[in-house]
Amino acid sequence: MERVEHRASFGGWQDVYEHRSATLDSTVRFAVYLPPQAEHAKLPVLYWLSGLTCNEQNFITKAGAQRYAAEHGVIIVAPDTSPRGDDVADAEGYDLGKGAGFYVDATQQPWAAHYRMYDYVVHELPALIEANFPVSDARAISGHSMGGHGALVIALKNPGRYRSVSAFSPIVAPSQVPWGEKAFGAYLGDDRNAWKAYDATALVADAAERLPLLIDQGDTDEFLDGQLRPQLLQAACEAAGHPITLRLQPGYDHSYYFIASFIGEHVAHHARALKA
C-alpha cells in the first residue's frame, strides 16, 4: 500500500492510497480522510460509494465532507467505482465497464476476472482499513446514484456490519431501469432472478435487519423518472414494514451541488449512529 496524496484539511489529512487488490486483480486507489481526533483515538468509519464515471477523487474534491467529518470525529473512506488497468475489460459508453462497476460480483465473461466491487467493498477494503488505520469496529455506509444503489444493497445484505446507511439519488431498482438492466445483463447474465441479489427493492422484503434507510433525492433530477424511481423502494419498504425516510428536495438535481448541500446532515446522521 502506497500513499500517493497527502493534503491538510480541517485539521486532519485527506490522503489517497494505491494498492494491489487480490479481489479485483488490479491496482486500485482509495481515499481516506483522517480527522484531527485520529491522532489520539480509534474512530468510526463512514464508507462512501461514488456513482457512474467517478473515481476516488470526485467525492473528496466536491462534497465538502471533510469539514463535517472533522466536527464529528469520523473517518471517511472512498474507494474507486471499478477496477482499473490495461488488462481490465471495458466497454464504449459511460455506464458499463471502467467507472461503472455497479458494486456487484460479476459472473459473466469478460467481466468476472476483475469486476468484483461488492466483495472488495464488503471484505477486502475494510480489512485493509482496519489493519492500517486508527479505526474502531463501528461502520456506516453511504453513496450517490450507482453508489447509493451499492450502499443500500450492501447494508441490506450484511446485517450487523453497518450501524447506519444513507444515499443520495440512488438507483433503487436496477432490475427495472435501463442503467441497471444494461449493467446486470452484462455482469450477471440474462437470468433476472440472479439480479435480485443486488436490487434494494427486492432485498427489503427479506431483510434480516431493519436498518432505517435515509434517502435524499432532488425533485429536478434529470434521471428521477427514468433511472432512479425512488417511489419503487418506498413502496417495497411500506409493504415489508421496513423503515425508510425519503426526502424529496425541491429544486435540486443530480450533481455534487446537491450532495454538498446535504452532506453535513448525512455525516451527522451517521455520527449519531456510530457513536450510539
Side-chain angles (χ1 to χ4, degrees):
M1 190 173 71
E2 177 187 4
R3 189 171 67 188
V4 295
E5 290 187 24
H6 183 58
R7 305 179 189 278
S9 180
F10 292 96
W13 296 97
Q14 179 62 68
D15 294 338
V16 175
Y17 287 84
E18 185 174 270
H19 77 109
R20 183 71 186 181
S21 166
T23 303
L24 305 177
D25 191 22
S26 65
T27 299
V28 293
R29 291 187 174 188
F30 63 87
V32 179
Y33 177 69
L34 298 170
Q37 299 92 325
E39 292 186 9
H40 310 291
K42 291 186 176 182
L43 301 178
V45 183
L46 170 60
Y47 290 88
W48 172 270
L49 306 182
S50 291
L52 287 166
T53 76
C54 294
N55 57 27
E56 82 288 341
Q57 290 292 321
N58 298 74
F59 178 74
I60 65 175
T61 58
K62 295 180 179 180
Q66 293 90 344
R67 169 185 175 183
Y68 305 105
E71 176 184 343
H72 294 287
V74 174
I75 291 171
I76 300 182
V77 175
D80 201 345
T81 54
S82 77
R84 305 281 178 172
D86 294 339
D87 60 338
V88 174
D90 200 5
E92 293 185 3
Y94 69 94
D95 52 359
L96 186 69
K98 295 177 186 178
F102 264 86
Y103 305 100
V104 304
D105 286 346
T107 59
Q108 305 299 302
Q109 297 301 334
W111 313 102
H114 299 282
Y115 283 78
R116 301 184 57 82
M117 288 302 296
Y118 174 87
D119 195 11
Y120 178 74
V121 170
V122 174
H123 298 294
E124 185 178 6
L125 180 60
L128 192 66
I129 297 298
E130 290 163 15
N132 291 280
F133 297 94
V135 302
S136 70
D137 61 357
R139 310 179 196 94
I141 192 164
S142 185
H144 171 233
S145 194
M146 178 185 71
H149 140 74
L152 294 173
V153 165
I154 287 171
L156 289 166
K157 287 171 67 70
N158 294 277
R161 177 170 283 270
Y162 304 95
R163 297 194 182 180
S164 54
V165 57
S166 73
F168 289 82
S169 314
I171 306 170
V172 302
S175 298
Q176 302 180 56
V177 300
W179 275 341
E181 290 177 325
K182 179 178 180 179
F184 283 12
Y187 297 147
L188 304 175
D190 295 332
D191 182 5
R192 285 179 171 261
N193 284 324
W195 299 4
K196 294 179 181 178
Y198 299 103
D199 189 313
T201 59
L203 292 169
V204 293
D206 299 314
E209 179 183 41
R210 296 306 197 206
L211 197 64
L213 311 181
L214 171 62
I215 296 174
D216 269 320
Q217 171 67 62
D219 74 352
T220 62
D221 190 318
E222 61 269 39
F223 304 112
L224 178 57
D225 295 329
Q227 303 280 12
L228 306 178
R229 304 178 68 186
Q231 69 275 10
L232 296 178
L233 181 60
Q234 187 172 42
C237 285
E238 290 174 355
H242 195 108
I244 183 173
T245 299
L246 173 60
R247 308 192 304 187
L248 285 175
Q249 303 290 1
Y252 287 92
D253 59 17
H254 200 71
S255 71
Y256 265 86
Y257 295 108
F258 170 48
I259 296 171
S261 298
F262 298 98
I263 192 64
E265 295 180 26
H266 280 243
V267 174
H269 163 78
H270 292 294
R272 288 191 295 270
L274 289 165
K275 297 176 181 180

